[in-house]
């Protein structure tokens, strides 16, 4: 280090200045970069936490909507008069009656549950028979798997009876353990893990408009079984962050849904589980497995289960850090290059005059007078430079002339640039006028200026003959806004637009002349209660765009003149353009009568969507 300092001390003035600038630059960049990184890290992490929480909450709302729908189907089934009628004449000891009732109950189950794609199977269990074992409810997944013997002694039966008619949600369980089927314990089968909704049928139902009661000694239990795919179908791809885990637990911490199937129906060690359950929704930084993790959670209002997304903070920040490092390297490189260039320039402003002065005196001694000094620096330098400049007056005049010529060239270049009017200058100017109008409370002027800006953008955007209907509609809406302001609220404009037609190809500006004709001629004498309706729809193999007004209307001769006459360029031009583009069957038709308004219909063939921006 001592040797380096000694070398710098003995170096040239230019080297000392350059070293000082580089050192100050490095210190400044390091301090500012560290501060900016910390701020960016905190900001990005907070934004990412909010985004993850929003995703988890929305997914939980989707699940609750599914569960709510299932609960409604359960309520409907448990109050079905046909179901109670099937049980009222049933003798459990009569096998024929039981099988007949089974067929009838299958049909009732289908009526309520066949349309639900979330159900795995639906059955009604009693102490003597499991009804619906071959139910076609959601037949793609229906399974005949609940054992008939010993169902009353299972935990799922006890849960249903404790509910006394309420819908109870049974967290994911091992089928072999729940129904005590040991030979399935080590097998991998389709319904190894299930979660269920159960409800004990109490016996009250509606018969006509009156509530009736059926005294059933053996109260049946409705069982709806679901696979974990109900959750995974909602969660799939919702948080595309490497290392993230999306799972569901019940109030005791037992896993209801998890990407790792080996964890299903097992308790999981989750810090502050009770606090999360009580909070219901939110996002926390928790220590899980010795590592800080971002945990977004939301509790179901239906089942009471907790949906959680666990994400390592580093995975959220990694893309940002990579981008930040790349930007930092580029920025540091550019700033370093700039500062080094600046240091060279500043150092040379001090050392170069001395060198130039030495060379100038040598040149003067040798009779060369092609060097000139600006009179700057200390008094001594000025005296020497003045004497030198006095001997080179002619050179000074030449330099002055070159300088003035250079200035004139710059002025000419600036004028040339000013004449290159970019359309964006016009848009920016209109936007500025709009903002100024808003600041002065002139909202109507601002609205008109914005509409004009949008129209101008569309006019210069493309020279294509056809555009997207969405873009042409934007232009038309701007025109309608301006014309509506002109009539000072006397006209109400209604839009009935088929969203599926917004990406269709249409001739550019094909509706504006029709709307203009309605404003200029149809509403010419109208003072109030004017209505202009703009609609579009598909009719068979055609698209129909219809402009209707309740203006003054016209007679048949006027209608013919509008479409074929030479004096009315707008509508006849649109009609000719459509027929050139699409053929004779398509074009404009006018329905009108004096005093009864006018309806102009434009028919176009069905077309494909534009692949890019028109």
């Amino acid at each position: 280090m001592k040797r380096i300092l000694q070398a710098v001390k003995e170096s040239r003035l230019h080297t000392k200045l350059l070293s000082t600038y580089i050192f100050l630059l490095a210190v400044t960049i390091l301090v500012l970069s560290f501060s900016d990184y910390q701020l960016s890290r905190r900001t990005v992490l907070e934004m990412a936490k909010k985004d993850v929480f929003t995703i988890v909450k929305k997914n939980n709302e989707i699940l609750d909507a599914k569960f709510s729908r299932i609960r409604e189907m359960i309520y409907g089934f448990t109050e079905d008069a046909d179901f109670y009628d099937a049980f009222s004449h049933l003798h459990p000891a009569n096998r024929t009656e039981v099988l007949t009732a089974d067929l009838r109950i299958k049909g009732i189950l289908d009526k309520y549950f066949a349309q639900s794609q979330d159900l795995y199977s639906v059955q009604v269990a009693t102490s003597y028979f499991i009804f619906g074992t071959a139910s076609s409810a959601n037949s793609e997944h229906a399974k005949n798997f609940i054992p008939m013997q010993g169902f009353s002694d299972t935990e799922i039966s006890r849960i249903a009876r404790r509910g006394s008619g309420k819908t109870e949600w049974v967290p994911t369980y091992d089928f072999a353990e729940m129904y005590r089927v040991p030979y399935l314990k080590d097998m991998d089968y389709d319904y190894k893990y299930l979660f269920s909704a159960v409800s004990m049928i109490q016996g009250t139902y509606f018969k006509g408009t009156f509530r009736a009661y059926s005294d059933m000694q053996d109260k049946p239990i409705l069982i709806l079984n679901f696979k974990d795919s109900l959750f995974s179908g909602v969660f799939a791809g919702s948080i595309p962050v490497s290392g993230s885990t999306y799972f569901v637990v019940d109030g005791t911490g037992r896993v209801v849904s998890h990407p790792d199937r080996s964890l299903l129906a097992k308790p999981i060690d989750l810090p502050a589980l009770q606090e999360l359950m009580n909070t219901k929704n939110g996002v926390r930084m928790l220590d899980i497995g010795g590592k800080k993790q971002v945990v977004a959670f939301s509790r179901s209002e239906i089942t009471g289960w907790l949906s959680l997304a666990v994400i390592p903070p580093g995975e959220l920040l990694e893309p940002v850090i990579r981008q930040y490092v790349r930007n930092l390297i580029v920025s540091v490189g550019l700033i370093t290059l700039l500062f080094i260039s600046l240091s060279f320039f500043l150092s040379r402003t001090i050392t170069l005059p001395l060198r130039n002065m030495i060379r100038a005196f040598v040149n003067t001694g040798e009779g060369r007078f092609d060097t000139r000094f600006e009179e700057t620096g200390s008094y001594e330098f000025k005296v020497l430079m003045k004497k030198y400049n006095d001997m080179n007056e002619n050179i000074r005049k030449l330099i002055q002339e070159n300088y003035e010529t250079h200035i004139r060239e710059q002025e000419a270049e600036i004028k040339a640039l000013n004449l290159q009017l970019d359309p964006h200058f016009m848009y920016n100017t209109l936007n500025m006028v709009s903002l100024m109008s808003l600041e002065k409370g002139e909202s109507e002027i601002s609205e008109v200026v914005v509409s004009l800006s949008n129209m101008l953008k569309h006019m210069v955007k493309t020279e294509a003959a056809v555009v997207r209907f969405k873009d042409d509609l934007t232009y038309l809406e701007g025109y309608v806004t301006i014309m509506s302001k002109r009539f000072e609220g006397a006209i109400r404009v209604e839009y009935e637009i088929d969203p599926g037609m917004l990406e269709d190809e249409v001739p550019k500006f094909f509706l504006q002349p029709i709307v203009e004709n309605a404003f200029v001629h149809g509403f010419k004498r109208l003072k109030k209660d004017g209505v202009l309706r703009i609609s579009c729809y598909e009719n068979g193999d055609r698209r129909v765009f219809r402009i209707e007004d309740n203006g003054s209307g016209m007679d048949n001769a006027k209608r013919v003149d509008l479409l074929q006459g030479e004096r009315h360029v707008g509508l006849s031009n649109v009609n000719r353009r459509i027929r050139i583009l699409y053929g004779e069957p398509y074009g404009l038709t006018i329905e009108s009568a004096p005093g009864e308004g006018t309806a102009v219909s434009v028919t176009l063939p069905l077309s494909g969507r534009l692949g890019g921006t028109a």
Side-chain angles (χ1 to χ4, degrees), residues 410-466:
Q410 287 184 329
E411 291 175 349
E413 183 179 0
I414 291 172
K415 290 180 180 179
L417 290 173
N418 288 335
L419 292 175
Q420 297 176 1
L421 181 61
D422 192 321
H424 290 290
F425 169 76
M426 181 167 51
Y427 306 152
N428 293 337
T429 302
L430 289 173
N431 289 335
M432 181 184 69
V433 172
S434 174
L435 291 174
M436 291 173 65
S437 300
L438 287 175
E439 290 176 355
K440 295 181 180 297
E442 298 290 343
S443 58
E444 290 190 354
I445 295 178
S446 173
E447 186 178 358
V448 170
V449 171
V450 169
S451 299
L452 178 58
S453 176
N454 291 334
M455 291 175 64
L456 291 174
K457 285 181 182 179
H458 186 60
M459 290 173 66
V460 302
K461 188 175 181 181
T462 179
E463 296 179 0
V466 292

Side-chain angles (χ1 to χ4, degrees), residues 97-345:
E97 287 188 15
V98 170
L99 293 177
T100 302
D102 184 32
L103 292 174
R104 186 175 178 185
I105 291 172
K106 290 170 192 174
I108 300 172
L109 289 172
D110 286 347
K111 181 171 68 172
Y112 289 95
F113 303 108
Q115 300 303 318
S116 176
Q117 296 301 312
D118 295 320
L119 285 171
Y120 187 69
S121 66
V122 186
Q123 293 169 287
V124 177
T126 65
S127 61
Y128 56 87
F129 193 76
I130 307 295
F131 293 92
T133 54
S135 172
S136 60
N138 196 4
S139 58
E140 182 182 352
H141 302 296
K143 298 292 178 181
N144 312 331
F145 56 83
I146 295 181
M148 292 189 183
Q149 301 300 325
F151 173 78
S152 298
D153 295 331
T154 60
E155 178 65 20
I156 199 168
S157 175
R158 286 190 287 273
I159 292 173
R161 297 189 186 283
R162 282 200 305 267
S164 299
K166 293 190 301 182
T167 300
E168 297 290 336
W169 298 90
V170 183
T172 300
Y173 54 87
D174 187 310
F175 176 85
E177 291 181 359
M178 176 65 75
Y179 293 102
R180 295 188 293 278
V181 189
Y183 65 86
L184 291 177
K185 183 65 177 175
D186 298 324
M187 296 177 62
D188 187 14
Y189 48 94
D190 194 28
Y191 48 92
K192 186 176 179 64
Y193 293 103
L194 300 170
F195 71 92
S196 303
V198 296
S199 178
M200 186 175 69
I201 302 172
Q202 293 293 83
T204 59
Y205 63 99
F206 280 99
K207 188 173 185 180
T209 58
F210 302 98
R211 180 171 288 277
Y213 180 78
S214 176
D215 185 13
M216 296 184 293
Q217 298 300 321
D218 187 354
K219 291 184 171 59
I221 296 174
L222 176 65
I223 308 170
L224 283 73
N225 295 310
F226 308 85
K227 288 177 64 177
D228 179 61
S229 58
L230 182 146
F231 292 105
S232 60
V234 175
F235 298 160
S238 58
I239 303 181
V241 178
S242 177
S244 63
T245 306
Y246 207 146
F247 60 98
V248 180
V249 298
D250 68 359
T252 65
R254 189 166 67 172
V255 176
V256 179
S257 172
H258 200 286
D260 185 356
R261 286 178 55 83
S262 65
L263 298 177
L264 293 177
K266 296 180 177 62
I268 191 170
D269 184 16
L270 189 65
L273 174 62
Q274 196 57 47
E275 179 192 347
L276 301 184
M277 281 288 183
N278 293 336
T279 307
K280 295 186 179 180
N281 298 286
V283 60
R284 296 281 191 278
M285 288 291 292
L286 298 180
D287 192 343
I288 301 178
K291 296 181 180 179
K292 287 290 185 182
Q293 306 275 14
V294 175
V295 179
F297 60 93
S298 181
R299 196 184 78 182
S300 170
E301 297 293 338
I302 306 296
T303 63
W305 299 338
L306 198 66
S307 298
L308 304 104
V310 180
I311 305 174
E315 296 295 337
L316 291 173
L317 295 172
E318 184 180 358
V320 178
I321 293 174
R322 285 200 303 266
Q323 185 63 37
Y324 183 84
V325 170
R326 284 196 295 267
N327 294 342
L328 180 63
I329 292 174
V330 173
S331 301
V332 169
L334 293 175
I335 294 174
T336 301
L337 181 63
L338 176 63
F339 267 74
I340 290 175
S341 302
L342 182 61
S343 66
F344 269 105
F345 172 75

Side-chain angles (χ1 to χ4, degrees), residues 589-604:
T589 58
I590 301 176
E591 305 167 29
S592 184
E596 298 182 5
T598 302
V600 181
S601 297
V602 181
T603 56
L604 302 177

Side-chain angles (χ1 to χ4, degrees), residues 375-390:
E375 296 181 12
T376 58
S378 64
Y379 173 76
E380 291 78 8
F381 277 119
K382 289 183 179 179
V383 172
L384 293 173
M385 292 177 184
K386 188 176 186 309
K387 296 298 182 182
Y388 184 83
N389 291 336
D390 287 342

